Amino acid sequence: MQTHILGFPSVGKYRELKQALESHWKGEASPESLLNTASELKKRHWQIQKKAGLDYVSTGDFSLYDRMLDISCMLGAIPPRFLPCHGDAPLDKYFSLARGDIQRNIPALEMTKWFDANYHYLVPEIDANGPWSGSEHPVLADTKEAKSLGFSPKPALIGPFTWLALAKAQGSALKWPRLQSIVAEYAALIEKLAPHCDCIQIEEPVLCTELLPDAAARQFPSMYAALNEACGGKKLMLATYFGALGEKLELAVNSGCAVLHIDLARGKGQLEGVLAALPASMALSLGIVDGRNIWKADYARQHHLIEQALSALGRDRLWLGSSCSLLHCPVDLSEENALPEHIKTRMAFAVQKCAELTALRRIVETKSDPALAENTAVLQAAAAHADSRIAAVRERAAAVSPADLSREAAYAERRAAQGWLNLPLLPTTTIGSFPQTAAIRKTRLAFKKGDMTEAEYEAAIRCEIRDCIEKQEALGLDVLVHGEPERNDMVEYFGQQLGGFCFTQNGWVQSYGSRCVKPPVIYGDVYRKAPMSLDAILYAQSLTTKPVKGMLTGPVTILCWSFVRDDLERSEVCTQVALAIRDEVQDLEKAGVHIIQIDEAALREGMPLTRAEAENYLRWAVDAFRLASSGVANATQIHTHMCYSEFNAILPWIAEMDADVISIESSRSGMELLDAFAEFHYQAEVGPGVYDIHSPRVPTVEEMEALLRKALRHIPKERLWVNPDCGLKTRQWEEAWPALENMVAAARRVRENLEYID
Ligand code: GLN
Ligand code: ZN
């Protein structure tokens, strides 16, 4: 039985790569020093894998920015707008693609989510003008180096079908006719790699989705035949992950590859079907250690799966691996020294997951390894811990009835009841946060470090809130916000106040490039201890006669941006969070806050990859939002916000959320998505963003006026709101102020001329 992982996180346990990249970008560190750090990290990670007893160490998993970009560079898939960078040094060219070239005003490649993970990749662009000449993929040098250092490398590449399926064709260019020449480039690389390794991992997660067109799927066998031929007798491992193979099982087992890797964390039920279909020439790698969470594997359960595969295949045809790359989990649990012991014993980060794989092999091979009993005892103790199961929380969740999921009346009636809010036509508002200035960050840090008393901190935050209200009054906005100066992060802020959550010190996970996130951990039953947002909102409201929106993060977003316990269904965890938010909503209403926004920024991205699973998810996710939001009177107005625009497919579900007002991102797409809203006969109010807050550019009055006029073609004036695309947290006041001034002016101009709009 061979053991391996699909990849190790690049970033380093202290985020060394982040630091090295950022000082290089600032011009403080030479290319050599960046490459030095990278090389040290790679060696350290190989050492970890070897020390754990894995049979292979992963190469090609490390990237200076993004592995999809690395393939794009190898293929020379560089859009023509980067032509001016062609003569630059290789590293400068690479980072221009990733981050854009500000001096030459060349925008970066687009970035988007890697399937349903929180990692973001750079979207390849296929241009009609054809590819430039490619450059050598760094995996080759890394593999040679690993080998020369005495490791047994397994190079890993994102496969050609996945790369192309995720690429975007520009203009008249077509993607799939390029397949053959792309596969030829892969074959050339494989040929060069083969002498330095025994096995090459080609990742095709696209096989676990519905993204591969039939015409492309038909070419799969011949293309993989070419790749296998290039291997020259060495093994090719076809790695699939993030789901079950489903309909693509046929393709995978007939690929001619020596090893097939399947994900048994996400594709739980697929083992039996795969075993039945696997040809005798193929070995199977079981992805049994979950690469997407932070929990220990359940050895007893996994042991059982391994035995099942073992009796069908024998040990020579069986591999044990991580379900996907460990990129999606933090690096090393032993760095954590503030976690409660009963939680820490349940956890495993990347370093620990490597060891789990070899422990599982020992358990199966020796049949009497103490690790099994130890693991069972730990998990049983965790399950028995008082935080894991709180009777009152369970009872309340079980008692949720359909009535709890519905507002008293339908939208039309609520609309009339909300008339007392006396808002003008085309009311202006913002999404919640205002610029998080250096001063605010300093205040928060000082408080965290203990250099500031709680009273001093509260006073400083109040000062910010007051300033924010004064600014909004001066700007002439209609519905105000408190500005969220007390929130470092919209999920962490609530997580810190809820029962069932805990926080790591170093649990960083790469989000993209040098950016990392440290997701909260939901380890136990979730409940609200006390009101969470009332002080700030009520203070803000006390300063103005204009309405101040209460600002909350929705249950689905809290769930999607956390590491979630794996001993309870996600839908059930979500219900618990929703009940906590529901209490907060009701307390806000009782305290006189009658406009309440519940952000569901992550609802779309949490969607599973196949239609059937997506339907199921949307049902419980939308219900969770309804549970959180529907405990208020008709006269209270519920807003929600989403910061993306690919709505078309889920619009019926957005309508099902039954919010009174929804604000959405749309300025960059020129209000295109409103067609879909009109076509669907969306009933409630809509605030399509007119100001792209992701750019430092200040939009003009005319631009925003034009967007509003365009919006009015799809949304009647009684139901249109005026707001930016998203929160202003990352902007400077120098940009936000004039942009909001222009936005308010644009709304006024359109209001004054409403009779001329048909
Ligand atoms: N209310 C949040 C803010 O303004 C919403 C952020 C988001 O949608 N990502 O910052
Ligand atoms: Zn947003």
Side-chain angles (χ1 to χ4, degrees):
M1 250 183 283
Q2 313 257 37
T3 51
H4 71 121
I5 57 169
L6 265 56
F8 199 85
S10 294
V11 65
K13 62 177 166 181
Y14 305 121
R15 288 183 293 163
E16 294 90 325
L17 183 59
K18 174 193 177 70
Q19 265 94 49
L21 283 168
E22 290 175 358
S23 49
H24 173 67
W25 294 335
K26 276 192 226 141
E28 287 162 9
S30 65
E32 292 70 39
S33 92
L34 169 61
L35 295 175
N36 233 343
T37 304
S39 160
E40 288 306 314
L41 283 169
K42 283 181 250 187
K43 279 186 262 182
R44 191 200 294 164
H45 299 160
W46 295 333
Q47 200 60 53
I48 288 169
Q49 293 166 67
K50 187 172 177 177
K51 200 172 144 219
L54 297 175
D55 294 291
Y56 294 93
V57 302
S58 192
T59 59
D61 55 345
F62 185 94
S63 176
L64 283 174
Y65 201 96
D66 169 49
R67 297 175 69 223
M68 282 289 279
L69 177 63
D70 294 347
I71 299 282
S72 305
C73 291
M74 164 182 98
L75 297 172
I78 313 294
R81 67 174 181 279
F82 291 100
L83 209 60
C85 311
H86 198 37
D88 296 356
L91 219 46
D92 294 341
K93 243 166 42 179
Y94 181 78
F95 290 131
S96 294
L97 292 164
R99 310 176 65 229
D101 184 326
I102 298 178
Q103 255 132 47
R104 296 178 176 123
N105 198 20
I106 306 173
L109 293 175
E110 202 180 291
M111 193 165 62
T112 196
K113 275 171 62 70
W114 177 239
F115 298 95
D116 62 348
N118 271 336
Y119 178 77
H120 300 74
Y121 69 94
L122 291 164
V123 182
E125 289 177 28
I126 306 280
D127 196 271
N129 298 333
W132 297 12
S133 57
S135 48
E136 182 150 284
H137 197 293
V139 69
L140 187 56
D142 289 351
T143 305
K144 286 181 189 167
E145 187 181 8
K147 176 119 195 244
S148 75
L149 294 171
F151 297 104
S152 172
K154 171 168 59 70
L157 296 165
I158 294 168
F161 284 82
T162 297
W163 185 85
L164 205 47
L166 298 183
K168 159 172 128 182
Q170 294 289 27
S172 59
L174 291 173
K175 292 200 300 187
W176 293 102
R178 303 284 178 91
L179 181 62
Q180 193 146 15
S181 66
I182 288 170
V183 169
E185 300 272 355
Y186 271 86
L189 175 60
I190 288 173
E191 224 166 90
K192 286 189 225 160
L193 283 167
H196 309 286
C197 58
D198 296 330
C199 179
I200 299 170
Q201 165 181 319
I202 309 283
E203 298 160 39
E204 296 286 16
V206 73
L207 293 179
C208 300
T209 70
E210 285 151 6
L211 293 171
L212 198 62
D214 287 344
R218 278 195 288 279
Q219 299 193 60
F220 196 87
S222 62
M223 296 299 146
Y224 266 81
L227 296 180
N228 273 301
E229 205 177 297
C231 240
K234 298 293 178 66
K235 295 188 194 86
L236 215 56
M237 170 185 288
L238 175 62
T240 66
Y241 49 81
F242 293 167
L245 275 162
E247 285 170 7
K248 304 292 186 318
L249 177 60
E250 275 285 311
L251 282 185
V253 294
N254 293 317
S255 63
C257 294
V259 190
L260 171 65
H261 173 86
I262 56 170
D263 182 340
L264 290 179
R266 291 277 162 141
K268 278 201 178 69
Q270 66 175 330
L271 181 59
E272 216 160 298
V274 173
L275 287 176
L278 204 74
S281 58
M282 213 176 212
L284 185 64
S285 161
L286 307 181
I288 40 161
V289 166
D290 193 344
R292 299 258 316 246
N293 75 16
I294 50 166
W295 306 110
K296 270 194 175 144
D298 180 340
Y299 288 179
R301 191 186 316 151
Q302 305 305 41
H303 171 224
H304 183 75
L305 286 175
I306 300 168
E307 289 290 352
Q308 190 185 343
L310 195 62
S311 63
L313 305 174
R315 8 180 338 194
D316 292 345
R317 281 173 68 204
L318 197 58
W319 293 51
L320 303 181
S322 57
S323 64
C324 58
S325 169
L326 301 180
L327 167 74
H328 310 286
C329 63
V331 179
D332 190 357
L333 183 65
S334 64
E335 294 298 314
E336 299 296 327
N337 38 43
L339 283 172
E341 199 46 40
H342 77 279
I343 305 171
K344 192 174 167 183
T345 55
R346 292 164 64 181
M347 290 180 163
F349 292 179
V351 171
Q352 289 71 37
K353 283 174 189 276
C354 292
E356 287 194 314
L357 284 161
T358 45
L360 276 163
R361 173 171 56 192
R362 266 197 330 271
I363 289 167
V364 175
E365 285 181 343
T366 64
K367 307 238 180 269
S368 68
D369 198 274
L372 177 59
E374 230 170 79
N375 175 273
T376 306
V378 165
L379 297 185
Q380 274 169 0
H385 194 276
D387 292 350
S388 285
R389 193 181 183 89
I390 299 173
V393 174
R394 296 293 170 113
E395 279 157 26
R396 190 172 174 211
V400 169
S401 73
D404 299 328
L405 305 182
S406 289
R407 299 284 296 271
E408 275 166 34
Y411 170 71
E413 203 175 310
R414 299 200 304 263
R415 181 180 167 75
Q418 288 160 23
W420 74 280
L421 292 168
N422 247 330
L423 300 170
L425 278 177
L426 272 51
T428 53
T429 191
T430 58
I431 304 304
S433 57
F434 272 82
Q436 293 249 327
T437 57
I440 296 181
R441 281 197 297 268
K442 230 172 98 189
T443 303
R444 228 187 282 109
L445 194 71
F447 179 53
K448 207 173 146 189
K449 279 192 179 157
D451 297 345
M452 208 181 215
T453 65
E454 186 153 355
E456 285 168 337
Y457 176 70
E458 299 286 318
I461 291 294
R462 286 192 166 213
C463 211
E464 292 294 339
I465 294 177
R466 172 181 291 275
D467 181 57
C468 180
I469 294 290
E470 280 167 7
K471 285 199 166 83
Q472 293 173 88
E473 294 212 303
L475 283 162
L477 288 154
D478 299 310
V479 175
L480 312 194
V481 296
H482 76 288
E484 304 180 20
E486 79 287 19
R487 301 182 193 178
N488 167 42
D489 176 278
M490 63 190 281
V491 171
E492 186 182 83
Y493 178 74
F494 290 100
Q496 270 164 347
Q497 303 184 68
L498 288 166
F501 278 76
C502 69
F503 293 82
T504 63
Q505 291 167 302
N506 253 304
W508 296 100
V509 179
Q510 189 181 18
S511 170
Y512 61 87
S514 69
R515 209 187 124 77
C516 300
V517 294
K518 191 157 68 64
V521 177
I522 304 181
Y523 72 93
D525 277 358
V526 176
Y527 60 98
R528 192 181 73 140
K529 300 173 184 166
M532 303 180 281
S533 64
L534 260 64
D535 279 352
I537 311 280
L538 295 183
Y539 176 65
Q541 186 64 80
S542 74
L543 302 171
T544 175
T545 52
K546 296 238 174 117
V548 174
K549 266 195 283 194
M551 201 57 62
L552 303 172
T553 304
V556 186
T557 300
I558 291 181
L559 196 78
C560 287
W561 289 348
S562 300
F563 280 119
V564 182
R565 61 193 296 185
D566 63 352
D567 59 349
L568 189 64
E569 288 292 330
R570 284 174 81 79
S571 56
E572 290 178 49
V573 179
C574 203
T575 301
Q576 296 180 357
V577 182
L579 285 167
I581 301 295
R582 180 183 173 95
D583 291 346
E584 187 75 8
V585 169
Q586 289 180 323
D587 279 353
L588 280 167
E589 184 188 48
K590 260 187 245 150
V593 180
H594 292 283
I595 304 183
I596 301 169
Q597 178 173 313
I598 307 171
D599 292 328
E600 283 293 20
L603 188 120
R604 174 71 229 269
E605 66 177 59
M607 221 164 98
L609 302 171
T610 58
R611 240 165 290 158
E613 284 172 306
E615 283 285 300
N616 177 37
Y617 161 82
L618 286 164
R619 180 71 266 163
W620 63 251
V622 166
D623 280 350
F625 179 84
R626 293 174 65 117
L627 179 58
S629 61
S630 61
V632 291
N634 291 336
T636 295
Q637 190 171 63
I638 297 287
H639 291 222
T640 188
H641 163 72
M642 294 178 183
C643 23
Y644 38 81
S645 52
E646 320 89 69
F647 270 123
N648 298 12
I650 60 163
L651 205 52
W653 289 104
I654 304 287
E656 270 281 290
M657 289 168 74
D658 201 24
D660 299 306
V661 184
I662 175 172
S663 60
I664 41 180
E665 174 178 318
S666 52
S667 72
R668 270 182 295 185
S669 56
M671 303 279 143
E672 257 167 40
L673 84 165
L674 291 181
D675 284 338
F677 273 80
E679 218 168 282
F680 181 75
H681 299 294
Y682 188 77
Q683 294 296 314
E685 298 163 48
V686 187
V690 289
Y691 157 24
D692 173 10
I693 62 92
H694 298 95
S695 156
R697 209 175 64 86
V698 174
T700 62
V701 179
E702 290 70 27
E703 258 171 71
M704 289 191 273
E705 194 185 341
L707 286 174
L708 286 173
R709 289 183 187 284
K710 210 165 163 188
L712 280 168
R713 284 192 225 133
H714 306 283
I715 313 263
K717 59 180 184 295
E718 295 77 17
R719 293 203 263 115
L720 184 65
W721 283 67
V722 181
N723 48 257
D725 267 343
C726 193
L728 299 165
K729 192 175 183 172
T730 56
R731 296 268 62 90
Q732 311 279 318
W733 270 114
E734 292 74 31
E735 305 143 11
W737 179 272
L740 291 175
E741 233 174 9
N742 290 353
M743 186 184 89
V744 172
R748 287 205 180 120
R749 278 205 211 166
V750 179
R751 267 181 217 153
E752 280 157 18
N753 296 299
L754 271 177
E755 67 263 38
Y756 304 117
I757 292 168
D758 45 46

